[in-house]
Amino acid sequence: MPLQIIINDQQSFYLHENVVSAFSGRLKKIIRKEKRKTQIEDSIIELNDFPGGPDGFEHVSRFCYSHGRVEITVLNVSLLYCCAFFLGMTEKASANNLLRQTEKFLEGMFYWSWNDIVMSLRSCEPFFSYADSYGLIQKLIFTLLAKIAQNSDMNFIAASSSSSSSPETSFGFRFSSTSKASPEPASPCTKSGKDWWFDDLAVLSPKMIEKIIRNLGAYGNQNNSFTLTRFLLHYLKTRPQGSSSPSSKSEYSGIADTAVHGVILVGKTKFSCRKLFWVLRLVSGFSLSKDYRAGLERLIGENLDEATVDDLLVSGHNKGVYDVNLVIRLIKVFVNSEEMNSQKMKKLGRLIDKYLREISPDQNLNISKFLAVADSLPDSARDCFDGVYRAIDFYLQSHPTLSFEDRSKLCRCLNYEKLTFEASKELAKNPRIPPNISVQALICQQSKVPQDEFLYQRTPHGSHGSHGKTSHGHMVLFNDNTMDSSSSSSSSEGAEDMKLNLQKMQWRVVELEKACKEMKGQMSKLVRHETSIFPFYNGNLPRFC
C-alpha cells in the first residue's frame, strides 16, 4: 500500500508501507494509528525535526529497499545512527537492523584516525541535539581527547595553572593507562608542536567546543588549564566577528568566559600587558559576561604602566573612534592598585599624555571626555605638563569651532607651574589659547624668576618705561643689571637671552591685556580681576595659579 511521508515540511517520499514498517518500529506504530483514524487507503505521515532532514531519510529509504544493506562510512555513520535511533530501527523490528549495524561500526572508533574522528564530530553538527541526547557525541569526544593524550609528550592534557611546566607542555585532563591500548595508533597529523590539534578543532561549531570543555570539567571558572586557555583563544581568533549577529555571538559567550578565566588565573606570569590587551580586543566581540570583563580589565589596569599607546587605542563600539571609557576605567584601577608607586605613576603619566595626543583629532571626542582622561591621574603623576598642553593644542586644531568657554574649560587641566619655559612661551603666542589662560600661564612662569634678579613696575598712564614705552599703563619688566651701566658689560650671553625672552613675553602680555579689555560678556570678570590687582602691585607679583 503506497505511503506518503513528508520530512520536515521540505520533501515528500512515496514508499510502500510494508517495506518501511518492516524495519522501523516507530513508523509501524504510526501507520497503525493512522489506519484507525481514517479509512483512506493512501496514508500521509508527517515527520518533523527528522535528523539530517530529507537527506537522512533518503539514506534510511535506501537501506529499507536494499533489504537491510547499506555502506557505512565514517562520514555517514553518525547520521545513520541518529536516524535509526529516531525511527526505532532495532533488533525487535528486524534482525541486524540499521541501529545494530551502526553501533557495531562505532565500536571501532578508537581505532579511527584523528581526521576520521574530527570529521565524524563535524558531521553531527546539523543534528547536534539528537547526537548529543543519544550519547554519540560523548563517545566521539572521549575518543578525541584520548587521541590528543595519545599523541602528546605526556599522557595527560593539562596541569593546573600552578604547575611549573612550560606553557607548551601544560595540559588539563587525565586518562587511564588503558586509554593508549590501540594496537595501531595512527598519527593524527603531520604538524609539529604540542598544539598540533588547535587548527583541526577550530573547524568545529561553538556548541561542539563547549561540549568538549564541559566533558573536560573545565567550563567557566573550572578552567585551570593553560593549554585549554590557549586553544580557546586560538579558536575565537578564527571566528568571524564583523558580520556576526548578536544571537550568533552569544553562542561563543561560554567559550569567551572560560578563556578569560584561564587568562586571569595565570595573570601576568604568562601574558604581557600587550597580550592582555589583545585578549580584551578578541573576547569583546563575543558577548563576554560583565564579571569576566571586569576581572580582565582589573588585571590589565594593575599593569597599565607596561602598556604602549597602541595598546590603549582600542576601537570604540558606540560613538567615537576609540574606547576612551575603557582607558579611564583602567587608569582608575591602576591608581587604586596596591602595587602602584611613584615611578610607575610617572611612567603612566607620560603614556597618558601621548594617548591624549593620539585621540585629540577624534571629532566625536567631547571636552568632558578629554578632561576625564587628563584628570584621571593625580597631579603627582606628572613632573611636567608640556605633554598635556601639546594634547590640548592638537585638540584645538582639530576642533576649530569651539567657543571661548569651551576652550577655557579645556585648559583647566593644565598646571601652569609645571609647564617648561619653552612651553609657556609657545602657549603665550598660541592664538587658539584664550587670552586669560595665556596671562595666567605667563604670570606663573614669571613667578619662578628670583625677585632680586628682576624688578616689576607698573608705569602710570602716559609715562614711559626705560625698556618698554607704552601710554596705556601696562606692566613693564626691568632688569637691575641693565640699569647699572657699569655691570652691563659683564652680563653673560645666557642672561641676555633670558632678558630678551622675558621682554618679548612682556609685550605679549600687553597685547593680551588690550584684547581682554575689548572683549565683552565672558571677559568682563577677567578685566575686573586685573583692575583690582594691578594697582596694588609693589614688585611682588601675585600668583594666579
Side-chain angles (χ1 to χ4, degrees):
M1 186 176 296
L3 176 68
Q4 181 183 1
I5 302 178
I6 304 174
I7 302 298
N8 298 351
D9 292 327
Q10 295 176 353
Q11 187 173 338
S12 297
F13 290 85
Y14 296 90
L15 309 171
H16 198 284
E17 65 177 46
N18 292 335
V19 175
V20 294
S21 61
F23 292 94
S24 172
R26 182 172 184 175
L27 284 176
K28 190 174 184 178
K29 291 180 180 179
I30 294 175
I31 292 171
R32 288 177 179 176
K33 187 180 294 185
E34 288 296 321
K35 284 185 175 181
R36 295 193 192 104
K37 292 181 180 179
T38 177
Q39 300 297 323
I40 301 176
E41 292 186 357
D42 296 336
S43 300
I44 299 176
I45 297 176
E46 294 185 8
L47 293 178
N48 297 316
D49 298 323
F50 189 82
D55 182 57
F57 192 79
E58 183 176 348
H59 279 76
V60 172
S61 302
R62 292 180 182 278
F63 173 83
C64 295
Y65 277 88
S66 298
H67 305 290
R69 292 188 301 272
V70 66
E71 181 183 1
I72 301 178
T73 66
V74 170
L75 289 177
N76 67 16
V77 64
S78 298
L79 176 60
L80 291 174
Y81 177 81
C82 291
C83 291
F85 211 112
F86 183 90
L87 292 174
M89 303 177 74
T90 64
E91 297 301 290
K92 186 176 181 180
S94 175
N96 197 28
N97 210 339
L98 183 58
L99 184 61
R100 177 69 189 106
Q101 292 185 39
T102 53
E103 286 176 339
K104 187 175 181 180
F105 188 90
L106 291 170
E107 286 175 359
M109 71 169 61
F110 190 76
Y111 303 103
W112 294 358
S113 70
W114 166 261
N115 288 334
D116 287 345
I117 299 171
V118 174
M119 287 190 296
S120 186
L121 264 177
R122 195 175 185 185
S123 70
C124 293
E125 291 176 355
F127 43 93
F128 178 87
S129 59
Y130 289 108
D132 188 25
S133 62
Y134 298 157
L136 178 58
I137 289 180
Q138 182 86 8
K139 296 176 182 178
L140 288 169
I141 288 177
F142 180 83
T143 307
L144 179 86
L145 299 179
K147 286 290 183 183
I148 295 176
Q150 215 174 44
N151 293 276
S152 299
D153 289 345
M154 309 176 76
N155 64 342
F156 56 93
I157 296 195
S160 66
S161 59
S162 61
S163 172
S164 60
S165 59
S166 65
E168 288 78 11
T169 57
S170 296
F171 298 100
F173 57 89
R174 191 180 295 270
F175 289 99
S176 63
S177 58
T178 58
S179 296
K180 301 181 70 173
S182 172
E184 290 184 15
S187 178
C189 61
T190 59
K191 299 176 184 177
S192 60
K194 308 301 186 297
D195 53 1
W196 53 264
W197 47 277
F198 281 20
D199 287 335
D200 294 330
L201 297 194
V203 302
L204 299 177
S205 68
K207 290 187 296 184
M208 195 68 73
I209 296 298
E210 186 171 317
K211 187 68 177 178
I212 293 174
I213 300 172
R214 291 185 181 277
N215 273 269
L216 286 170
Y219 187 78
N221 59 10
Q222 295 178 316
N223 175 25
N224 63 353
S225 166
F226 183 56
T227 295
L228 178 61
T229 299
R230 289 174 55 242
F231 164 69
L232 295 179
L233 293 175
H234 174 81
Y235 177 78
L236 292 174
K237 184 178 68 174
T238 65
R239 301 292 95 182
Q241 296 188 43
S243 59
S244 299
S245 63
S247 60
S248 63
K249 287 183 178 180
S250 63
E251 295 179 347
Y252 297 90
S253 178
I255 297 174
D257 288 351
T258 304
V260 169
H261 177 79
V263 172
I264 296 173
L265 196 64
V266 297
K268 60 182 181 181
T269 61
K270 301 290 187 183
F271 290 89
S272 64
C273 190
R274 165 157 290 191
K275 194 69 173 178
L276 290 173
F277 269 103
W278 175 82
V279 172
L280 180 62
R281 286 184 173 92
L282 176 65
V283 299
S284 294
F286 294 107
S287 302
L288 183 68
S289 66
K290 291 182 178 180
D291 290 341
Y292 282 110
R293 183 180 182 89
L296 182 57
E297 288 183 4
R298 183 166 55 252
L299 180 60
I300 297 174
E302 291 172 351
N303 302 278
L304 194 59
D305 60 304
E306 300 175 6
T308 65
V309 175
D310 289 339
D311 295 333
L312 298 181
L313 297 177
V314 179
S315 299
H317 300 293
N318 299 316
K319 291 184 178 180
V321 177
Y322 304 111
D323 191 348
V324 179
N325 290 329
L326 168 65
V327 175
I328 295 173
R329 293 196 301 270
L330 295 177
I331 295 174
K332 289 181 179 179
V333 171
F334 182 85
V335 172
N336 297 322
S337 173
E338 296 179 355
E339 299 181 3
M340 184 272 295
N341 56 47
S342 176
Q343 184 178 0
K344 290 184 176 181
M345 184 65 77
K346 291 179 180 179
K347 183 180 178 182
L348 181 61
R350 294 190 292 270
L351 173 65
I352 297 305
D353 290 351
K354 295 177 182 177
Y355 173 73
L356 283 170
R357 289 184 62 178
E358 289 293 329
I359 65 174
S360 293
D362 182 3
Q363 295 300 307
N364 291 316
L365 180 66
N366 55 45
I367 292 176
S368 60
K369 199 69 68 178
F370 183 98
L371 292 174
V373 177
D375 294 337
S376 58
L377 287 172
D379 192 71
S380 59
R382 298 181 176 96
D383 291 330
C384 175
F385 269 71
D386 287 15
V388 180
Y389 164 67
R390 308 290 180 206
I392 290 175
D393 190 32
F394 269 64
Y395 189 91
L396 292 175
Q397 292 181 46
S398 304
H399 301 76
T401 60
L402 287 179
S403 65
F404 175 85
E405 293 94 337
D406 287 340
R407 286 185 286 131
S408 299
K409 179 181 177 182
L410 185 66
C411 295
R412 78 181 188 188
C413 60
L414 281 173
N415 184 333
Y416 307 119
E417 290 185 336
K418 288 189 175 183
L419 287 172
T420 63
F421 183 72
E422 292 298 324
S424 296
K425 287 197 304 180
E426 184 179 331
L427 183 148
K429 298 176 183 179
N430 193 335
R432 292 177 290 273
I433 300 296
N436 60 321
I437 302 299
S438 299
V439 171
Q440 293 184 47
L442 286 173
I443 290 174
C444 286
Q445 190 65 224
Q446 291 174 358
S447 67
K448 298 178 183 179
V449 182
Q451 295 299 318
D452 59 351
E453 185 73 19
F454 294 98
L455 175 66
Y456 299 88
Q457 175 180 334
R458 179 181 171 86
T459 59
H461 182 75
S463 64
H464 303 279
S466 60
H467 290 282
K469 296 181 180 181
T470 175
S471 61
H472 299 285
H474 294 293
M475 179 176 65
V476 182
L477 176 67
F478 294 91
N479 186 305
D480 286 339
N481 292 333
T482 63
M483 301 173 68
D484 187 357
S485 59
S486 62
S487 62
S488 61
S489 60
S490 61
S491 299
S492 65
E493 184 178 351
E496 186 67 24
D497 290 341
M498 177 66 75
K499 168 190 167 185
L500 294 174
N501 287 332
L502 289 174
Q503 285 178 345
K504 292 178 181 178
M505 292 169 60
Q506 170 222 334
W507 284 108
R508 174 60 176 157
V509 173
V510 171
E511 295 172 359
L512 292 173
E513 285 183 328
K514 290 174 63 178
C516 289
K517 289 180 180 180
E518 294 175 359
M519 291 185 178
K520 295 180 180 181
Q522 301 94 344
M523 295 300 297
S524 60
K525 294 183 180 179
L526 176 62
V527 174
R528 290 197 300 270
H529 185 58
E530 291 179 352
T531 305
S532 64
I533 291 178
F534 284 116
F536 298 98
Y537 185 73
N538 58 2
N540 294 321
L541 189 65
R543 297 173 68 178
F544 289 77
C545 309

